[in-house]
Amino acid sequence: MGMISEFKDFIAKGNAMDLAVGVIIGASFGAIVNSLVSDVITPALLNPALKAAQVENLADLKTDGGILYGKFLAAVISFLVIAFVIFIMVKGINNMKKKEEAAPAAPAGPSQEELLTQIRDLLKK
């Protein structure tokens, strides 16, 4: 019975729950990034570049021995594009956070000396 209660405690801890939420959100975010890259960025930027280089079917490239180096090159290009998109997204989020932090602070109230002076003056009256 002790092992089951320890397991309940482990699952109920914030770390395990935060990790589970992070994995789920990460998978969903990964789907968004993959769709952005494959459906928006690749057709807009990469396809014209590949056509200009006359390499339209990159994934079909292979050696005489059957090594599919085209698939490898396509995977490398996809990784670089995805990494760049994530970099741009994180950079944008960090810039938004910096702007929030740079917001002007609330005006400071009177200093301790000013408060003591006001109390002294009120007591004199």
Side-chain angles (χ1 to χ4, degrees):
M1 209 50 174
M3 189 167 163
I4 292 174
S5 64
E6 284 182 44
F7 181 69
K8 280 184 188 178
D9 291 341
F10 171 75
I11 293 298
K13 281 186 181 178
N15 294 342
M17 298 306 276
D18 291 344
L19 178 61
V21 169
V23 167
I24 293 168
I25 295 292
S28 298
F29 185 72
I32 291 170
V33 170
N34 285 335
S35 176
L36 175 66
V37 169
S38 64
D39 299 333
V40 177
I41 293 175
T42 299
L45 299 177
L46 202 53
N47 284 345
L50 290 177
K51 287 179 183 174
Q54 297 177 355
V55 185
E56 295 173 349
N57 296 321
L58 184 63
D60 295 335
L61 295 176
K62 60 183 174 180
T63 64
D64 292 336
I67 298 173
L68 300 172
Y69 68 90
K71 283 189 176 184
F72 175 74
L73 289 175
V76 169
I77 291 170
S78 177
F79 168 77
L80 292 174
V81 171
I82 288 172
F84 183 72
V85 168
I86 291 174
F87 170 75
I88 295 298
M89 293 174 102
V90 169
K91 187 173 174 86
I93 290 169
N94 287 341
N95 284 340
M96 288 190 322
K97 284 183 182 178
K98 286 180 185 175
K99 288 179 184 176
E100 289 175 4
E101 291 173 2
S111 68
Q112 186 175 2
E113 289 82 16
E114 292 171 341
L115 290 173
L116 289 173
T117 304
Q118 290 175 1
I119 292 171
R120 183 195 65 203
D121 293 342
L122 288 171
L123 289 174
K124 283 184 180 178
K125 292 181 181 182

